Amino acid sequence: MKTSLTSMDYLLDEKVNFYEKILNQIPDLIFQLTISQENEFYLSYLNKSIISFFEINEFDLNQNALDLFNEKLHPDDKESFFNSLYISKQTLKSWTCEFRILLKNKSVKWFKVDANVALDAEKNAIFYCNLTNISTIKSRELKVSESETRYQFALEASKKGIWDYNIKTGEVFFSKESLQMIQFNEHDNINTNSQWDERIHPDDLTNYLQNIESHKLNKIPFFENTKRVLAKDGTYIWVLSRGKIIERDENGNPLRIIGTHSDVTSNKEKEQELLGNLDIIIEQNNRLLNFAHIVSHNLRSHTGNFKMLLNMFDESDDPVNREECISYLKTTSNALSETIDHLKELVDIHTTIIHKKEDLNLKLFLNQTLEVLSKEIKDNKVIIVNKIGEKDTIKFNPAYLESLFLNFTTNAIKYSHPERKPEIHYSSRKEDGKLVLLIQDNGLGINLEKYGEKLFGMYKTFHKNDNARGIGLFITKNQIESMGGTIEVESKVNVGTTFKINFNEEV
């Protein structure tokens, strides 16, 4: 019996040696950890690979395993390491943990332990552990994480959003930056292409869809479009979308497009402001050019008359002729003074930075102006119809408004039709939230096809009237425009004329 037990012990020892030899040949880092019921740590087994890798010596093997772990573990990983280990011991579930080890050369390596756990006869927890070096994987993860962080930071800094459109399903991923542009967030479930498209301004939608379709058909190498998109608060913002197809099927049909969003509202507003300023500059240049032509034309006419009359005066010895020349010179001088006064008035209109404005009731102001013209209205038997609203009030320069009513009223009387009583109708209405004044007469009318472009020109007359000077409409138009308004005209010969004054301010 004794011989038999010795034989069994020998066989058992041989088997253990056999398994140890095999384990020592495995390149994996394998060890066995025992934790007693009193939480004492023992390294029951370490294969040669782990001893060699960590340069563990006899002293290390003989010391308390807990001390060895505390010495080798990275300080930041100790808590998670031991917490996971104790949970596994208590639950007898497999132990998995990632942690860093401080090596003797002061380098740091990442490892992952995978272990099964069981209790022995004395209720000690035995961990059968496999240790894997995951430093390369962690390094890659760190680089990816850093790259993603930099990319996210770049997106946030550039205020760009990302979108990823699955054409087959119609689903779109919008990054939080894209959603924030239109005041939404990830919980608002904006995740289909149709949900985005229906927020595009109707005036911009067709061009947007055409641009995408052109890219799908390979007509353009990438997609780029700027359009207005409806935000959550009901306002529109300008969004620049750029994108490119990154996947097609075997027939060349697009499957996926990715791209960016940029909020370009500020740029668009500045662009609109620049265009507005450009329009103002062009208009001012045109006015300046027109004014230069007027000055050149009118002053040249007067100076030509002066030169001609002075030559006649010098060449004549006849006192009567000379007296007649003097009379003509006086007339020409008076005409020149009048022209200079008109030009000065025009300059004053366009060079006054701040024009005086008052709250003026149109109907009351018209009645005051008509009082001034009461004798002329009575003498010409003019029928006045004042249908201006009782409460229609505008901010306007009083002198300009008086000039407006005087010019249009006197013109209507001056150019009345000889075969009927003159009628002048004044009315007002609102268009697009702004006040409009209408002045209509039944006079001679004007051939707009022939004279339309010259109607508001300086010294332009269109009827054979001895009192016509052609300055009233020109001055009035400039006064209205200096207040930010516009003027339109409709006229038919022998029927009458309607002037429409569009005031600029909201009412």
Side-chain angles (χ1 to χ4, degrees), residues 265-313:
T265 304
S266 177
N267 292 342
K268 274 291 182 180
E269 289 174 350
K270 290 177 181 177
E271 180 183 323
Q272 294 299 325
E273 183 180 349
L274 286 173
L275 289 174
N277 291 337
L278 181 61
D279 289 340
I280 292 172
I281 292 170
I282 291 173
E283 183 181 354
Q284 292 286 19
N285 283 341
N286 289 337
R287 288 181 180 178
L288 181 61
L289 185 61
N290 183 47
F291 181 74
H293 288 158
I294 291 168
V295 172
S296 174
H297 175 269
N298 292 311
L299 293 185
R300 188 167 59 248
S301 297
H302 292 304
T303 56
N305 287 336
F306 272 117
K307 185 176 181 180
M308 178 189 69
L309 291 169
L310 288 172
N311 286 338
M312 289 174 59
F313 182 85

Side-chain angles (χ1 to χ4, degrees), residues 329-344:
L329 282 169
K330 289 179 180 178
T331 302
T332 302
S333 176
N334 290 333
L336 176 59
S337 295
E338 186 176 357
T339 296
I340 291 173
D341 288 340
H342 291 155
L343 294 174
K344 182 180 181 300

Side-chain angles (χ1 to χ4, degrees), residues 452-494:
E453 294 183 359
K454 301 177 181 179
L455 182 61
F456 294 102
M458 194 173 187
Y459 300 123
K460 300 297 181 182
T461 59
F462 313 102
H463 299 289
K464 295 179 180 179
N465 189 309
D466 294 338
N467 296 323
R469 297 181 300 158
I471 190 66
L473 286 180
F474 178 77
I475 293 294
T476 300
K477 179 177 183 292
N478 281 272
Q479 289 172 334
I480 292 170
E481 289 178 349
S482 71
M483 293 283 101
T486 59
I487 184 169
E488 302 172 41
V489 60
E490 293 180 4
S491 189
K492 290 184 179 180
V493 176
N494 293 323

Side-chain angles (χ1 to χ4, degrees), residues 161-365:
I162 297 295
W163 53 274
D164 187 337
Y165 175 27
N166 185 322
I167 299 173
K168 189 174 182 180
T169 65
E171 293 181 345
V172 186
F173 163 77
F174 294 108
S175 69
K176 70 174 184 178
E177 289 80 13
S178 285
L179 294 173
Q180 285 172 352
M181 287 180 193
I182 54 175
Q183 300 164 3
F184 285 90
N185 57 47
E186 296 94 328
H187 306 296
D188 286 309
N189 295 321
I190 305 293
N191 53 18
T192 66
N193 191 53
S194 59
Q195 287 174 303
W196 179 268
D197 288 357
E198 67 188 14
R199 306 193 73 83
I200 296 175
H201 194 287
D203 294 344
D204 302 334
L205 183 59
T206 300
N207 185 53
Y208 166 75
L209 295 175
Q210 286 176 346
N211 284 354
I212 290 183
E213 191 62 26
S214 294
H215 181 48
K216 288 180 180 179
L217 297 175
N218 269 331
K219 292 182 179 179
I220 52 178
F222 58 90
F223 159 71
E224 182 172 300
N225 177 266
T226 303
K227 69 278 179 187
R228 288 160 288 182
V229 181
L230 185 65
K232 201 171 189 177
D233 66 357
T235 61
Y236 279 96
I237 66 162
W238 283 95
V239 176
L240 168 63
S241 298
R242 289 193 175 102
K244 186 174 179 61
I245 295 170
I246 62 166
E247 186 178 350
R248 293 180 183 268
D249 62 18
E250 62 276 6
N251 298 318
N253 298 314
L255 297 176
R256 187 177 169 206
I257 306 177
I258 64 171
T260 62
H261 285 142
S262 302
D263 184 347
V264 293
T265 304
S266 177
N267 292 342
K268 274 291 182 180
E269 289 174 350
K270 290 177 181 177
E271 180 183 323
Q272 294 299 325
E273 183 180 349
L274 286 173
L275 289 174
N277 291 337
L278 181 61
D279 289 340
I280 292 172
I281 292 170
I282 291 173
E283 183 181 354
Q284 292 286 19
N285 283 341
N286 289 337
R287 288 181 180 178
L288 181 61
L289 185 61
N290 183 47
F291 181 74
H293 288 158
I294 291 168
V295 172
S296 174
H297 175 269
N298 292 311
L299 293 185
R300 188 167 59 248
S301 297
H302 292 304
T303 56
N305 287 336
F306 272 117
K307 185 176 181 180
M308 178 189 69
L309 291 169
L310 288 172
N311 286 338
M312 289 174 59
F313 182 85
D314 288 340
E315 292 172 359
S316 177
D317 293 329
D318 186 347
V320 176
N321 288 339
R322 295 190 119 201
E323 186 65 30
E324 187 177 0
C325 286
I326 294 295
S327 176
Y328 285 137
L329 282 169
K330 289 179 180 178
T331 302
T332 302
S333 176
N334 290 333
L336 176 59
S337 295
E338 186 176 357
T339 296
I340 291 173
D341 288 340
H342 291 155
L343 294 174
K344 182 180 181 300
E345 184 177 355
L346 185 60
V347 169
D348 289 341
I349 291 171
H350 289 294
T351 56
T352 301
I353 297 175
I354 301 175
H355 296 272
K356 179 183 178 182
K357 287 186 178 182
E358 296 180 10
D359 289 322
L360 304 175
N361 183 289
L362 278 181
K363 190 163 191 172
L364 293 177
F365 206 88

